[in-house]
Amino acid sequence: MLILKSTKMNPGKKFFLLTVFLLTVFQSFSQLRLTDHLQFALHFDPIYSNSKVFANPGGEAVKTDRDKHEKAKIATAIGLTVSYLVSKNFKFTVGGYYTNPGEKDIRTNSAIADTSSVPFVTTKKVRLYKYFGAPFLLTYTFTPPWKKTWLFCITGGLYAEKYYDATEKIYTKEAGSGTTVAKGKISIAQRGSLASFAVGGYLGAGYERQLSKKIQLRIIPYYKYYFTKVFVANAGATNSRLKNIGLNLSVGYRITHKVIR
């Protein structure tokens, strides 16, 4: 009888083989000059986030109250992108980022029947929704006649975001007393059926400038619109669709400084 014995590969050997493989792939890319077209960028985006409230059947009163008290929120996006320079004027960009849009100042006033013995209570809620996202963007760049040192660029495309967490901070204040704050994760009952996946459109226009042969600065105001309704709230009475106005601040790095025609 022939018995076959399985042998486990040494972890060090696995790491060595993986390193050799990656170096071989990178060398192949270099020979094909693909690396001449690649640009990496780290970006930080301040975002002005606002949500449009939609009423489901029977939810008009809730929508009116939310529209009255809800305020826009300052959010942020932080990420890393990889761009492929197709030509001198066009580049295609993909990547990943983390963003935290949400709602701010959703109020509920609790009137007590015996107001002489129990003070009037005001509750204010701040909700934060956290997503990981991926952009798919095409950028057209050209030199404007009024600004020779800066390149003008127009960027458009799509993005996808995957929800992974939500938190809520609740401020409760009684007449004549201070404010107490409770913070924690939003339960399923509180956040309703929060959509786990969101898709939207992206449009931006701004400037790029070469700081050196390999380093580039990018400043682009942009508008993001969610095609999907991101979450359902108030026990299903309303749902919302976010809209974001952001400012893309990024520093890009090219592997080579070869001029792309």
Side-chain angles (χ1 to χ4, degrees):
M1 184 186 293
L2 180 64
I3 299 175
L4 295 177
K5 215 173 179 184
S6 64
T7 58
K8 246 183 178 181
M9 189 179 291
N10 186 287
K13 192 174 181 181
K14 282 184 179 179
F15 178 77
F16 174 76
L17 291 176
L18 178 62
T19 304
V20 171
F21 173 74
L22 292 176
L23 288 174
T24 304
V25 171
F26 183 78
Q27 180 64 26
S28 302
F29 279 5
S30 297
Q31 289 174 354
L32 293 172
R33 312 311 296 171
L34 291 177
T35 51
D36 291 342
H37 295 259
L38 294 182
Q39 182 186 54
F40 299 89
L42 181 66
H43 69 92
F44 172 80
D45 303 359
I47 297 172
Y48 181 79
S49 178
N50 190 26
S51 60
K52 171 71 174 176
V53 181
F54 298 88
N56 292 327
E60 288 295 337
V62 178
K63 178 185 182 306
T64 301
D65 185 63
R66 287 185 63 188
D67 284 340
K68 181 180 177 182
H69 296 294
E70 190 172 320
K71 297 179 182 178
K73 178 183 176 298
I74 300 298
T76 56
I78 302 172
L80 179 67
T81 59
V82 181
S83 297
Y84 181 82
L85 281 67
V86 181
S87 66
K88 178 184 175 182
N89 300 105
F90 285 98
K91 66 180 172 184
F92 178 69
T93 300
V94 296
Y97 61 88
Y98 156 85
T99 188
N100 61 340
E103 299 173 317
K104 184 177 182 181
D105 199 15
I106 307 170
R107 298 194 181 188
T108 357
N109 295 328
S110 305
I112 309 299
D114 184 7
T115 54
S116 59
S117 60
V118 183
F120 187 79
V121 178
T122 301
T123 302
K124 183 176 73 172
K125 299 178 181 180
V126 177
R127 289 179 177 175
L128 191 68
Y129 302 92
K130 301 175 185 178
Y131 288 82
F132 283 120
F136 303 89
L137 307 173
L138 184 64
T139 300
Y140 174 69
T141 306
F142 62 94
T143 304
W146 62 86
K147 209 77 173 175
K148 296 296 183 182
T149 55
W150 291 82
L151 296 177
F152 188 76
C153 56
I154 301 172
T155 299
L158 299 173
Y159 63 91
E161 290 181 350
K162 175 70 176 177
Y163 158 84
Y164 77 94
D165 195 14
T167 56
E168 182 175 61
K169 188 180 288 186
I170 303 173
Y171 298 83
T172 304
K173 185 176 182 179
E174 294 182 356
S177 67
T179 300
T180 58
V181 180
K183 183 180 180 182
K185 291 185 179 296
I186 301 176
S187 69
I188 295 296
Q190 285 177 310
R191 64 177 170 84
S193 55
L194 180 64
S196 63
F197 187 73
V199 179
Y202 181 108
L203 182 63
Y207 289 101
E208 295 180 350
R209 181 171 183 174
Q210 291 298 133
L211 301 180
S212 69
K213 288 182 177 180
K214 292 187 177 184
I215 306 295
Q216 182 187 67
L217 175 66
R218 204 165 189 238
I219 304 174
I220 299 182
Y222 62 85
Y223 176 73
K224 283 171 64 178
Y225 179 80
Y226 286 70
F227 298 138
T228 52
K229 292 175 181 176
V230 183
F231 54 88
V232 177
N234 305 103
T238 62
N239 52 44
S240 299
R241 180 179 285 133
L242 295 173
K243 293 183 289 185
N244 297 336
I245 299 174
L247 181 64
N248 178 258
L249 305 171
S250 66
V251 177
Y253 173 79
R254 283 195 54 198
I255 298 175
T256 68
H257 61 269
K258 181 180 177 181
V259 177
I260 305 299
R261 301 295 180 186

